[in-house]
Amino acid sequence: MIDEMTTVLEPAPMTDFVETKYIKDVTNRALCYIKAGFPVHFRGPSGTGKTTLAMHIASKIKRPVVMIHGDEEFTTSDLVGGEHGYRVRKVVDRFISRVLKTEEDMVKRWVDNRLTVACKYGFTLIYDEFTRSRPEANNILLSILQEKMMDLPVGRGGEDPYLRVDPDFTAIFTSNPEEYAGVHRSQDALRDRMITMDLDYFDYDTELAVTRAKSKLSRQDSRIIVNIVRGLRESGKCEFAPTVRGCIMIAKTLKVQNLTPVRASNMFMQMCQDILASETSRVGSKTNQDRVKDIVSELVAKELGTRKNINIPLRAGKADGILSQEEVESLVGAK
Ligand SMILES: Nc1ncnc2c1ncn2[C@@H]1O[C@H](COP(=O)(O)OP(=O)(O)OP(=O)(O)O)[C@@H](O)[C@H]1O
Ligand SMILES: [Mg+2]
């Protein structure tokens, strides 16, 4: 197999992928645009499922996938290819049997990079967070997307300086909004050549389904977590809104400890505070962390209280934070 093929991924559906109505809708719309020959661009805040959706759509297209992650340090040659290493050529001349004449030289060896491979073989390109690369590195995409021609650097050799893009080539882009750190403004010309779909945080059902699928926690307990995270997000008081990743982290931690929010209310509270304060604040922003912790403790109290219609003494619990079955029953009035 040629070297360049080693970066190609087989499109396979994700095992714990959930397809709610929202996900199906976005997927179908994106596939329509792709079918009409347009590249699709998912733009949205962190944790809105852009990368996962791009992979899912690529698996529906059923062509091999080439993935690139945008990078500030990228140059065009990181996308297209370059002269990496040397090839040694040796000529052995035995024209006159008693005289052995050898000639050795080194030629620079061109290696196609992922973008060239995708264009040449008609693969699906996922260019994740493409606005993290500097705009000039991405210029090569303008002619690929519009004229379906790739302008190749001279060093590559071959008779034609252009590569005709295979008709099966498809491109899916993702990006974070421009206010994110380390993100460049995408060029207008490039954005104009793709269909941008703005994604927002998941709807309730999707967030719950993703949390459950990723953690295997019960529906009831996942609900409590999703309500808390969404409550914090909707409070509008965070530096960065908490994402579904926060739900997954809390749910997975509970699951591995084999705990439930009610059985370990104090520990659950601490977990929510740690995870959500760290997710929503920049390092060192103590005021913001404290504010988030306060909101989280209110939300946890409300969730645990409302659900059982009781007021669990959150701060006055046992040292380990775990209530016995008896204590819980007495709190809910069963005893
Ligand atoms: N449909 C889905 N089914 C199962 N899990 C999902 C689904 N969509 C997203 N997830 C999970 O949600 C989390 C966030 O998704 P993803 O990484 O795709 O978001 P993103 O928008 O690319 O975020 P970022 O901008 O930070 O890269 C991941 O853990 C991912 O596995
Ligand atoms: Mg992503």
Side-chain angles (χ1 to χ4, degrees), residues 17-34 40 42 52-61 197 199:
F17 186 83
V18 296
E19 263 195 296
T20 55
K21 184 178 173 303
Y22 167 79
I23 303 279
K24 273 194 193 136
D25 267 9
V26 181
T27 307
N28 289 343
R29 267 154 54 213
L31 285 169
C32 282
Y33 303 138
I34 287 171
V40 169
F42 294 121
T52 314
L53 261 173
M55 308 262 255
H56 175 63
I57 287 162
S59 82
K60 296 260 176 198
I61 297 171
M197 297 175 75
L199 299 186

Side-chain angles (χ1 to χ4, degrees), residues 79-93:
L79 300 172
V80 178
E83 289 168 328
H84 300 291
Y86 291 88
R87 178 182 286 134
V88 178
R89 197 171 53 175
K90 191 169 178 176
V91 180
V92 180
D93 181 356

Side-chain angles (χ1 to χ4, degrees), residues 28-313:
N28 289 343
R29 267 154 54 213
L31 285 169
C32 282
Y33 303 138
I34 287 171
K35 203 167 170 201
F38 301 110
V40 169
H41 167 207
F42 294 121
R43 181 173 58 188
S46 197
T48 46
K50 303 176 296 292
T51 308
T52 314
L53 261 173
M55 308 262 255
H56 175 63
I57 287 162
S59 82
K60 296 260 176 198
I61 297 171
K62 295 196 165 68
R63 297 279 308 152
V65 178
V66 167
M67 193 148 183
I68 303 175
H69 297 280
D71 189 318
E72 171 70 31
E73 299 293 312
F74 265 1
T75 60
T76 304
S77 92
D78 289 303
L79 300 172
V80 178
E83 289 168 328
H84 300 291
Y86 291 88
R87 178 182 286 134
V88 178
R89 197 171 53 175
K90 191 169 178 176
V91 180
V92 180
D93 181 356
R94 287 187 187 275
F95 186 65
I96 302 166
S97 61
R98 279 166 293 124
V99 182
L100 171 65
K101 193 173 141 208
T102 63
E103 203 178 276
E104 260 182 272
D105 67 356
M106 309 255 269
V107 279
K108 280 207 171 155
R109 181 166 168 274
W110 176 273
V111 177
D112 282 344
N113 268 354
R114 298 175 191 194
L115 181 61
T116 313
V117 171
C119 290
K120 190 157 75 172
Y121 299 104
F123 292 165
T124 302
L125 168 78
I126 299 179
Y127 194 165
D128 201 28
E129 311 212 357
F130 79 103
T131 52
R132 290 193 183 272
S133 308
R134 279 173 288 119
E136 55 271 27
N138 288 337
N139 274 344
I140 182 87
L141 286 160
L142 296 173
S143 63
I144 295 178
L145 301 183
Q146 187 73 61
E147 287 85 28
K148 312 279 180 226
M149 294 289 263
M150 188 172 180
D151 199 352
L152 289 166
V154 255
R156 188 172 181 266
E159 59 292 348
D160 206 341
Y162 296 100
L163 175 82
R164 195 174 293 279
V165 176
D166 186 284
D168 281 336
F169 171 79
T170 311
I172 308 172
F173 297 86
T174 81
S175 78
N176 283 137
E178 280 158 19
E179 60 272 17
Y180 274 56
V183 166
H184 293 277
R185 246 190 109 212
S186 60
Q187 302 107 298
D188 296 338
L190 188 51
R191 224 182 28 247
D192 202 31
R193 285 162 166 76
M194 46 178 86
I195 295 180
T196 298
M197 297 175 75
D198 278 310
L199 299 186
D200 206 344
Y201 295 105
F202 289 140
D203 64 329
Y204 190 89
D205 288 347
T206 309
E207 195 151 20
L208 180 61
V210 169
T211 306
R212 285 192 67 199
K214 291 275 165 187
S215 65
K216 313 283 179 286
L217 200 67
S218 73
R219 187 179 177 82
Q220 202 180 20
D221 292 342
S222 304
R223 244 181 210 290
I224 295 181
I225 298 170
V226 170
N227 289 345
I228 293 167
V229 171
R230 290 177 80 89
L232 178 62
R233 190 182 299 146
E234 280 151 24
S235 75
K237 301 252 169 63
C238 300
E239 218 177 334
F240 303 99
T243 74
V244 69
R245 289 204 184 94
C247 298
I248 299 172
M249 284 178 194
I250 300 171
K252 272 193 172 167
T253 315
L254 273 182
K255 183 70 189 175
V256 294
Q257 297 286 329
N258 205 14
L259 296 173
T260 72
V262 173
R263 271 207 347 254
S265 60
N266 279 3
M267 198 170 162
F268 176 64
M269 163 81 84
Q270 294 255 277
M271 234 186 250
C272 290
Q273 288 188 332
D274 286 342
I275 293 174
L276 297 175
S278 89
E279 213 205 346
T280 55
S281 322
R282 268 188 223 276
V283 187
S285 169
K286 179 119 179 38
T287 345
N288 190 57
Q289 292 220 356
D290 289 345
R291 189 174 51 216
V292 169
K293 284 184 179 173
D294 272 351
I295 305 171
V296 169
S297 67
E298 269 173 37
L299 290 164
V300 173
K302 183 174 159 237
E303 272 313 307
L304 298 186
T306 322
R307 207 173 65 87
K308 288 281 187 192
N309 210 14
I310 52 157
N311 240 334
I312 290 182

